[in-house]
């Protein structure tokens, strides 16, 4: 392989947020502050996200007022929710542009969506002071949030400090906080903490989480739910 080909491939991967160019080569973004684009992340760990989403739908009742944060796991949750009977008559507050577009595309207008406004991130989330001000004026039953990484014993983190602040704002207006995250996030790291374990009511992940991390997380959070990916695969066949 020529050096020119390597440089071109590195540039393409860097543009997608999958690695970071450095002098003499590239390094993984898993230990850095940046994150892949929403379009890239949406193609990752699809089966895990489906399993987590199906469990999360059980925490919504018809007529609820809920908030859904940014990220692809929350987006997959919104997809499953809107296809279920639990979505009947619900109101969704969201800072996720893709989630808002999902609701707007519904043939039935039985679901109301409120969009926060704000500055757009790489994950197509709306964040910043405008978003936080809108959120602060409202109240929801439950907020469903994704996370970039899970740190034991610190909590849940995001690479974008503005997104972390908006997630905190949504938690502050919710009666219940649920974090949706697959098992790979326990091996990632990020800069900005948006929630401690004792601030979260339920963590829904998949059964790929290693036993040691599962045991430690269960000791720190009120409820840990392990979704079974195999069940999702069987249902889709």
């Amino acid at each position: 392989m020529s050096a020119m080909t390597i440089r071109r491939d590195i540039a393409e991967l860097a543009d997608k947020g999958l690695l970071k160019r450095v002098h003499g080569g590239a390094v993984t973004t898993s230990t850095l502050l940046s994150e892949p684009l929403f379009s890239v992340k949406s193609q990752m760990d699809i089966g895990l996200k489906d399993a987590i989403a199906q469990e999360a739908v059980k925490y919504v009742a018809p007529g609820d007022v809920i908030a859904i944060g940014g990220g692809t796991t929350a987006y997959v949750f919104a997809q499953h929710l809107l296809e279920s009977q639990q979505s009947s008559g619900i109101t969704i507050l969201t800072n996720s542009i893709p989630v808002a577009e999902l609701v707007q595309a519904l043939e039935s207008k039985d679901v109301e969506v409120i969009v926060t406004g704000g500055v757009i991130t790489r994950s197509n989330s709306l964040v910043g002071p405008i978003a936080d001000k809108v959120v602060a004026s409202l109240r929801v039953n439950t907020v469903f949030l994704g996370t970039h990484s899970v740190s034991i014993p610190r909590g849940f983190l995001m690479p974008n400090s503005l997104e972390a602040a908006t997630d905190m704002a949504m938690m502050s207006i919710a009666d219940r906080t649920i974090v949706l995250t697959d098992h790979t996030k326990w091996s990632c790291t990020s800069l900005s903490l948006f929630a401690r374990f004792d601030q979260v009511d339920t963590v829904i992940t998949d059964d790929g989480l290693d036993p040691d991390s599962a045991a430690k997380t269960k000791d720190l959070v009120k409820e840990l739910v392990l979704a079974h990916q195999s069940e999702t695969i069987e249902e889709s066949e």
Side-chain angles (χ1 to χ4, degrees), residues 147-157 185-190 193 195-197 217 220:
T147 183
H148 185 265
S149 63
V150 182
S151 175
I152 297 174
R154 290 185 67 202
F156 306 90
L157 302 99
K185 304 302 173 57
W186 271 257
S187 59
C188 299
T189 187
S190 297
L193 183 76
R196 302 187 310 271
F197 282 99
T217 303
L220 293 168

Side-chain angles (χ1 to χ4, degrees), residues 24-193:
V27 295
T28 176
T29 57
S30 62
T31 57
L32 299 174
L33 306 182
S34 60
E35 61 178 326
L37 294 168
F38 184 92
S39 59
V40 175
K41 290 170 64 180
S42 63
Q43 302 303 314
M44 301 164 61
D45 304 315
I46 296 174
L48 303 181
K49 293 171 184 175
D50 278 332
I52 292 165
Q54 289 186 18
E55 285 293 330
V57 168
K58 300 175 184 177
Y59 288 78
V60 182
D64 273 355
V65 179
I66 67 171
I68 300 178
T72 54
T73 305
Y75 174 77
V76 174
F77 159 66
Q79 287 180 310
H80 283 274
L81 175 60
L82 295 174
E83 293 170 355
S84 72
Q85 294 182 346
Q86 279 95 318
S87 66
S88 176
I90 67 172
T91 298
I92 298 175
L93 167 67
T94 187
N95 68 325
S96 167
I97 294 174
V99 169
E101 290 176 340
L102 270 180
V103 179
Q104 187 64 24
L106 287 177
E107 292 184 6
S108 168
K109 296 303 179 184
D110 193 32
V111 179
E112 181 179 356
V113 63
I114 301 170
V115 184
T116 63
V119 179
I120 304 175
T121 69
R122 289 175 61 87
S123 61
N124 282 2
S125 300
L126 297 165
V127 301
I130 294 175
D132 299 348
K133 186 173 182 179
V134 171
V135 170
S137 67
L138 303 170
R139 189 77 190 174
V140 300
N141 303 124
T142 307
V143 59
F144 296 86
L145 298 172
T147 183
H148 185 265
S149 63
V150 182
S151 175
I152 297 174
R154 290 185 67 202
F156 306 90
L157 302 99
M158 287 289 186
N160 186 319
S161 59
L162 289 178
E163 188 163 8
T166 300
D167 283 351
M168 292 170 66
M170 288 200 283
M171 288 174 56
S172 71
I173 65 160
D175 297 328
R176 178 174 60 176
T177 296
I178 298 177
V179 172
L180 312 176
T181 179
D182 66 76
H183 73 274
T184 64
K185 304 302 173 57
W186 271 257
S187 59
C188 299
T189 187
S190 297
L191 174 67
S192 301
L193 183 76

